[in-house]
Amino acid sequence: MKSLAGYLLHPKIPTNQEDLRIIDLGAGTGIWAEEIADQYPNATIDAVDISADQFPPESFRSKNTHFWTHNCFEPFPEQYLGKFDVVHARFWLCIVNDDVAKQLFENFVTLLKPGGYLQWVEPLPRTAHVVSRNGGAPAPACEKLVQTWMKPTPLSSYDWVHALPRLFQEFKVQVEVEDKFTNPDRYLPIAAQTFLLGLTEYLYKNPEVEKYQEQLAMEHAGGAFVDVACTFVVGRKLVG
Ligand SMILES: C[S@@+](CC[C@H](N)C(=O)[O-])C[C@H]1O[C@@H](n2cnc3c(N)ncnc32)[C@H](O)[C@@H]1O
């Protein structure tokens, strides 16, 4: 993602203030937080997730990162409210449907100082498409993956991601940047490996998934992949 965008934090976000405080929500493995901690050694970085399972072991964390667990749909503890120069959120797509997007967004904004910045990064499901350099051979497994991106379950609804800048405006976070990136060819094979690995998580529900993985892998080897654009939206919390 860093190579795709060319930045971890958009260069428009000021980072030269003393006591810079950054928080990463849904931090997962903490890779973004740890890279940011390396880039800004004088900043303090909080990394929050509902589960500590993927956090790096304490002895492998930077001195300036603080990992803690919290359900981000619940109000944050008082001591964090309005304290952050930058709030970062990435890859909430699989967790959030339209019915709860506003609630989550509003909760995130409570962490920002007035004038603080929110950077939110998501794939755009409706941009999913097959990229094939296979002489026109059919790629049904890739086509199926495109459909899965658009609607993984009958109840999935992702309008909120496509309308992310509107959420910013609604909660008085002025949009400063809306970048969109599609993968160059060189990233598609490695991105495909990640999706294949991700599908393994569904194996326990449906043993057919293994066959689907094999079909996808064959189509990839023949020169057909699925690409999905990513959006990076950056906004500034209005003062007052
Ligand atoms: C797809 S991962 C994204 C990881 C990370 N943001 C990244 O870009 O590498 C989604 C993360 O959200 C976390 N998560 C899911 N529901 C959550 C909640 N209600 N509150 C906080 N974190 C949550 C999951 O545990 C998981 O680590």
Side-chain angles (χ1 to χ4, degrees):
M1 294 309 293
K2 188 169 81 176
S3 301
L4 189 64
Y7 55 81
L8 280 171
L9 260 190
H10 193 279
K12 246 192 158 174
I13 300 176
T15 49
N16 53 1
Q17 58 270 57
E18 274 180 34
D19 308 327
L20 177 67
R21 286 195 72 180
I22 299 174
I23 188 162
D24 186 25
L25 301 172
T29 62
I31 184 61
W32 188 89
E34 284 294 334
E35 290 214 283
I36 277 288
D38 185 52
Q39 191 168 322
Y40 304 108
N42 296 324
T44 307
I45 323 293
D46 287 68
V48 179
D49 201 283
I50 197 166
S51 155
D53 286 357
Q54 296 186 85
F55 288 173
E58 277 193 46
S59 53
F60 279 72
R61 297 176 194 170
S62 304
K63 285 199 190 71
N64 54 334
T65 51
H66 301 277
F67 285 80
W68 44 283
T69 53
H70 182 75
N71 177 355
C72 288
F73 285 96
E74 299 293 329
F76 291 100
E78 183 81 31
Q79 76 257 33
Y80 297 107
L81 301 182
K83 291 293 191 295
F84 292 91
D85 301 285
V86 181
V87 170
H88 178 260
R90 187 171 73 174
F91 299 153
W92 278 84
L93 180 77
C94 303
I95 300 151
V96 178
N97 270 343
D98 294 330
D99 56 340
V100 291
K102 278 188 190 178
Q103 180 194 338
L104 188 72
F105 194 96
E106 194 170 14
N107 205 28
F108 284 7
V109 172
T110 62
L111 296 167
L112 279 173
K113 288 179 183 169
Y117 283 78
L118 171 63
Q119 176 173 301
W120 199 315
V121 178
E122 291 295 342
L124 291 165
R126 282 187 223 134
T127 67
H129 63 284
V130 178
V131 179
S132 51
R133 319 233 185 280
N134 61 2
C142 285
E143 295 290 354
K144 184 173 160 188
L145 184 58
V146 165
Q147 294 312 314
T148 309
W149 262 106
M150 306 235 179
K151 209 166 179 60
T153 73
L155 294 178
S156 306
S157 54
Y158 290 157
D159 288 350
W160 72 273
V161 186
H162 288 270
L164 202 47
R166 243 188 282 149
L167 265 185
F168 275 60
Q169 306 288 13
E170 191 175 335
F171 290 98
K172 299 196 166 31
V173 183
Q174 187 169 300
V175 175
E176 306 247 326
V177 175
E178 190 186 355
D179 279 344
K180 288 190 182 125
F181 300 99
T182 52
N183 280 296
D185 281 5
R186 65 183 176 280
Y187 293 148
L188 287 173
I190 191 72
Q193 294 289 340
T194 314
F195 295 144
L196 285 174
L197 205 58
L199 279 175
T200 304
E201 290 193 14
Y202 292 92
L203 268 176
Y204 73 96
K205 277 193 209 148
N206 180 0
E208 290 291 298
V209 167
E210 197 167 358
K211 214 161 80 196
Y212 176 42
Q213 280 176 316
E214 281 165 16
Q215 285 168 342
L216 272 173
M218 263 170 56
E219 290 179 17
H220 296 336
F225 293 96
V226 172
D227 189 27
V228 187
C230 274
T231 186
F232 288 61
V233 186
V234 177
R236 187 168 193 209
K237 184 177 181 175
L238 295 173
V239 181

